[in-house]
Amino acid sequence: QWYQRRVRGTNNLSEMSVKHLLSLLAFEAMAILPVILIIYWAEKYGGGFSWVYKSFAKFNYHPVFMIIAFVFLMGHALITFRMLPLAHRVKKYIHALLNLAAAAFAIAGLVAVIEFHNEQGYPNFYSPHSWLGLVTLSFLFLQALGGLTIFQDLVKGANDEVRKAYKPWHVVAGTAMVTFATATMLTGLQEKYGFSNPVKFSAQAYTYNFTVLTILMWAFTVVYILIAVEKRVPEGDYEPFPEEGAEHVQ
């Protein structure tokens, strides 16, 4: 037996509600702006990008890759089920691919900062930012592992009951990731701000400040979409795992 429930929601692009449209526009703005701002900072004030041995510019890959991973890629993965008017199975694959891409960028960002620290003789994992980063990365990898093994059928023993039991934890952990990622990025920017010691009220200082504000607004927008915005689904589509009183399909 395959237990499913019919999902009610806005069923196509032409019926996108004002709430969906405004939420999506706000999210896209807050997902793109931090990426643009951090790349601008790295090019303008951080010496650009270079993976050459002992280059100080190697560090700049770290914040850029991490913001791409968590704000842009993970953010889009989180809102996939709310915003895309596609079949549940299609959205599931898109969600998985975006999270795998986020994990790849996060690994590259981690490698960049560890290599930079080792080459410059700096210690690793000593600050609140680095500890928060380890927690955030651990959650990301565990989420990816759990999602792939249980929802993408990599484990044959993951039957409907196992999926039904795991799904609420997966959803809650994904939402918690927004908090962890935001805290990690903001403490990292504050740490870099202290090391850079920019002139107060300078363009460099404002670049940091606006990056922080856009990340904070990104977090608010994502949580709002997950809590307050109705799912968009094609007419007649089904989603696994019934809620109380839902339809039972053989």
Side-chain angles (χ1 to χ4, degrees):
Q1 293 177 327
W2 182 250
Y3 293 88
Q4 299 174 316
R5 65 184 176 91
R6 190 184 298 275
V7 182
R8 294 187 302 274
T10 306
N11 62 18
N12 58 49
L13 287 172
S14 64
E15 296 180 6
M16 174 182 274
S17 68
V18 173
K19 180 189 286 188
H20 280 92
L21 179 59
L22 293 179
S23 299
L24 183 59
L25 290 176
F27 168 80
E28 294 297 344
M30 294 305 105
I32 293 171
L33 278 173
V35 176
I36 294 174
L37 286 169
I38 199 65
I39 292 175
Y40 172 80
W41 168 83
E43 289 286 359
K44 180 74 173 179
Y45 306 108
F49 300 94
S50 174
W51 209 281
V52 176
Y53 180 71
K54 284 195 173 183
S55 170
F56 279 92
K58 181 180 289 188
F59 172 84
N60 295 337
Y61 288 105
H62 174 66
V64 171
F65 285 170
M66 290 305 189
I67 289 178
I68 290 174
F70 289 101
V71 174
F72 191 81
L73 293 170
M74 188 190 77
H76 279 89
L78 286 168
I79 69 167
T80 296
F81 291 101
R82 296 284 171 182
M83 287 298 181
L84 295 182
L86 302 172
H88 178 80
R89 181 171 293 275
V90 175
K91 290 191 286 189
K92 186 173 71 170
Y93 292 143
I94 294 172
H95 176 78
L97 288 172
L98 286 169
N99 276 319
L100 287 174
F105 270 94
I107 291 171
L110 181 64
V111 170
V113 74
I114 290 176
E115 283 194 8
F116 172 78
H117 282 178
N118 291 341
E119 290 169 5
Q120 302 298 331
Y122 301 149
N124 289 301
F125 307 118
Y126 65 91
S127 67
H129 165 66
S130 60
W131 285 29
L132 284 170
L134 289 176
V135 171
T136 304
L137 289 172
S138 297
F139 258 79
L140 176 64
F141 297 141
L142 287 173
Q143 278 286 87
L145 180 63
L148 287 172
T149 54
I150 293 176
F151 295 122
Q152 300 292 343
D153 302 322
L154 295 186
V155 175
K156 297 304 181 183
N159 57 27
D160 297 341
E161 291 302 317
V162 172
R163 294 173 182 175
K164 181 180 177 181
Y166 176 69
K167 183 178 179 180
W169 294 98
H170 187 71
V171 172
V172 170
T175 306
M177 280 285 297
V178 177
T179 303
F180 298 148
T182 302
T184 302
M185 288 183 286
L186 296 190
T187 53
L189 287 168
Q190 180 61 41
E191 189 175 285
K192 185 59 180 176
Y193 183 96
F195 290 146
S196 301
N197 194 25
V199 177
K200 292 180 176 62
F201 306 111
S202 64
Q204 183 179 2
Y206 284 134
T207 302
Y208 277 114
N209 292 349
F210 280 117
T211 305
V212 167
L213 289 176
T214 53
I215 290 174
L216 193 62
M217 291 305 300
W218 164 83
F220 173 83
T221 305
V222 172
V223 173
Y224 174 80
I225 290 173
L226 295 177
I227 293 174
V229 177
E230 185 184 31
K231 288 184 178 180
R232 302 186 67 217
V233 296
E235 187 66 32
D237 191 39
Y238 290 90
E239 178 182 284
F241 317 130
E243 293 176 348
E244 187 175 351
E247 187 174 356
H248 177 193
V249 178
Q250 296 290 337

